Amino acid sequence: MRRSILAAGLSGAALLVPAASHAVEGALGRPVTGTGVVPNAGIVSPEPIMAVNVAQVYLNGSIGSGRAVPIVGETSAGINAEIAFTLATFMKVWDTGPGAWNFASSFTLPYLWTEVNASFAAGRLQGARSDRASNLFDITFAPIIAGYHFSKTEHVSVSLNIWAPTGQYDVNALANPSLNNWTFVPQVAYTKIFAAYGLEFDAVAGVQFYTRNSATDYRNAPLFTLDTMLLKHFGKGFSGGIIVGTTQQLGNDSGPTADRLNGFVGRDWAVGPIVTYDTKVGARSMLSLGIRWVPTVSSKNRIDSTRTFMGTATLVF
């Protein structure tokens, strides 16, 4: 059960990314489809433990040339974006004693490197433009993560994850280490273990609510995200499985640029493999490693990336 802390924290912080957007302003928004689910996603450890996780997300994708995309208050004719996103997450499971409920809190410090290329035909930005950014991104935290144990093999956790606009933002820049808005993400995670078959099913669902970007008067519509994973445990700490995820926009974006694009409604699907390895470190600590590839298989008004990778390392103590 010591490795169960990975769930609530990582699925809350992981993965939401930045500065070029998706079916929202810039075309990516906070979520990167397929990166929000982790092993034991619905389990909050019954033990009072600490965990430190480092996650690295990389994607390189585009919205095709000739497609109108809202970005920094203007409309571009397609964009290309390369993003490397590093998140350091710190979690604490509180000592709440025996019982079906357990509680945790988490804080994530993200760092972003990104390069964005876009073409503009009119407005204050014209011609082919390219921009880079490398800085701390918007911080995210979950004050309370509540986990409930239906049984030893079935678990659920609920949380409210909050993104604060702490990163640097420049309305004249294509690449920004911030979305310049608050984002509130109520989330539910579920885990079912089929011990007789060495199988585990995890699912993480959430809805992202964005405040208005005061610099561009753009407001992203809510996004529904669902990432699922079926994992097979092979023994000696190794596991492998398949991830299926989707992001679906709920309603139209609003603001002058969004109105010109009929709300810029978007969605996408991603499918790909995951491999994990768990090992004991010392007398009480556990180290968990994971790597996944979750390419886009279908998209509309969101960055289409066949090179979406995520690696994680978590120490539980």
Side-chain angles (χ1 to χ4, degrees), residues 74-132:
E74 299 288 344
T75 302
S76 75
I79 65 172
N80 293 278
E82 183 177 6
I83 298 168
F85 197 49
T86 305
L87 304 100
T89 299
F90 305 89
M91 295 195 61
K92 168 69 175 177
V93 173
W94 303 103
D95 187 359
T96 53
W101 288 95
N102 295 104
F103 301 91
S105 302
S106 72
F107 173 84
T108 298
L109 185 66
Y111 191 90
L112 166 76
W113 178 92
T114 182
E115 180 175 348
V116 180
N117 300 283
S119 299
F120 298 87
R124 58 186 171 82
L125 302 175
Q126 297 188 27
R129 297 288 301 272
S130 179
D131 195 14
R132 289 184 180 181

Side-chain angles (χ1 to χ4, degrees), residues 4-13 40-45 89-94 96 101-108 141-149 156-162 185 187-189:
S4 65
I5 181 78
L6 311 187
L10 294 190
S11 57
N40 294 312
I43 307 176
V44 176
S45 173
T89 299
F90 305 89
M91 295 195 61
K92 168 69 175 177
V93 173
W94 303 103
T96 53
W101 288 95
N102 295 104
F103 301 91
S105 302
S106 72
F107 173 84
T108 298
F141 56 95
I144 292 293
I145 304 162
Y148 183 79
H149 311 288
V156 68
S157 68
V158 294
S159 61
L160 175 63
N161 305 292
I162 302 170
V185 189
Q187 181 175 276
V188 178

